[in-house]
Amino acid sequence: MASIKDVAAEAGVSVATVSRVLNEHPSVSAVARTRVLAAVETLGYRPNAVARSLRTDQTHTLGLVISDVLNPYFTELARSVEEEARALGYSVIIGNADERPDLQDHHVRNLLDRRIDGLLVSPTDGGSPLMLDAVRAGTPMVFVDRWIPGVDVPVVRADGETAVRDLVAHLYGLGHRRLAIIAGPAATTTGRERVEAFREALGAYGLDLPDAYIGQGDFQADSGRRVTEGFLDLPEPPEVVFAADNLMALGALDAVRARGLRVPDDVALAAFDDIRWFVHTDPPVTAIAQPTGELGRAAVRALVARIEGRPGESVTLPARLVVRRSCGEPPSVVPPLSPVRRSTS
């Protein structure tokens, strides 16, 4: 019976190219696709995933544990992971942690019991003994979006720090001086990183971030609503509320409207993690967009590299500021650059 290697030899291409053709990946040239399909027909090759897994002790299955499947950011991330994995000959089993460390570990344990070949995780916290044990045991693993500091695992993430500096520069240029943030959980790297990036960016303009202007959220809409209500009750409310994720931004918008106030006339609103809905809100929300699809695809490639015994490298991709109308922007505005540019690793 012909193997995939036989097909590759007959077509004069790599095994990876054959896999991409069989999984209908768009990156393959028309010439290579024609040669591979001709070789498949000539040799009568028929993939058999079950037999292949028995011969290689691999299941060609990846596990993906995401923080919240209802968050549009993670929904898009999961879709790109599944598409890239399929193109490389892998299936994906998804577990939704719902921002709960115990549920995260439940999914990780079940996935490991299913003999997955590798694991993609966006950690809900930084102290999961189960994941640390899995890494020490040699399970191929990649962190995506979030990570656990000190753990020797490739991390695929966006550079949010630069985009946050651009946002603060934009807000400062619009005349805003009292800026508040709805922070994500301090147990997550993204929760801590976005607050610190915001604080440092304000400092570049001589602005402070008082404790009263830091509200603790949990990446859920209810917390965005609750924190914003607290901001609005302050003797001197902030001029801008920056939500550290999209769901908290939607909660903040609800809180403003419930008071009979308007964005941006009474309080401006900006968000981390752009979503398609933001162009349909009134007003459309100024937001920081992450290259979500690219992150998912890069994470799969890094994980498959580790599964195949090759080094899987960490990847940092740029996020970008998307200027709309929720911060009092005039009809045409070009966001200014930050006063200080620092290189990121």
Side-chain angles (χ1 to χ4, degrees), residues 44-100:
Y45 173 71
R46 294 294 181 270
N48 187 320
V50 175
R52 182 169 63 245
S53 69
L54 292 174
R55 289 196 303 270
T56 64
D57 197 31
Q58 286 186 304
T59 60
H60 280 78
T61 303
L62 308 180
L64 170 64
V65 179
I66 55 177
S67 303
D68 183 2
V69 73
L70 295 180
N71 186 320
Y73 167 77
F74 286 110
T75 304
E76 184 179 347
L77 183 74
R79 178 179 179 178
S80 64
V81 164
E82 193 278 331
E83 288 177 346
E84 186 68 15
R86 176 162 42 85
L88 297 177
Y90 288 82
S91 298
V92 179
I93 301 175
I94 300 175
N96 172 36
D98 202 25
E99 298 292 356
R100 289 170 45 192

Side-chain angles (χ1 to χ4, degrees), residues 58 62 90 117-118 138-142 154 300-313:
Q58 286 186 304
L62 308 180
Y90 288 82
D117 295 335
T139 301
M141 190 180 300
V142 170
V300 171
R301 292 193 294 268
L303 182 58
V304 170
R306 288 179 72 86
I307 292 169
E308 296 178 351
R310 296 179 283 114
E313 303 294 336

Side-chain angles (χ1 to χ4, degrees), residues 131-148:
M131 275 197 288
L132 298 179
D133 288 345
V135 172
R136 284 191 287 264
T139 301
M141 190 180 300
V142 170
F143 293 144
V144 57
D145 185 64
R146 308 174 187 176
W147 63 98
I148 299 177

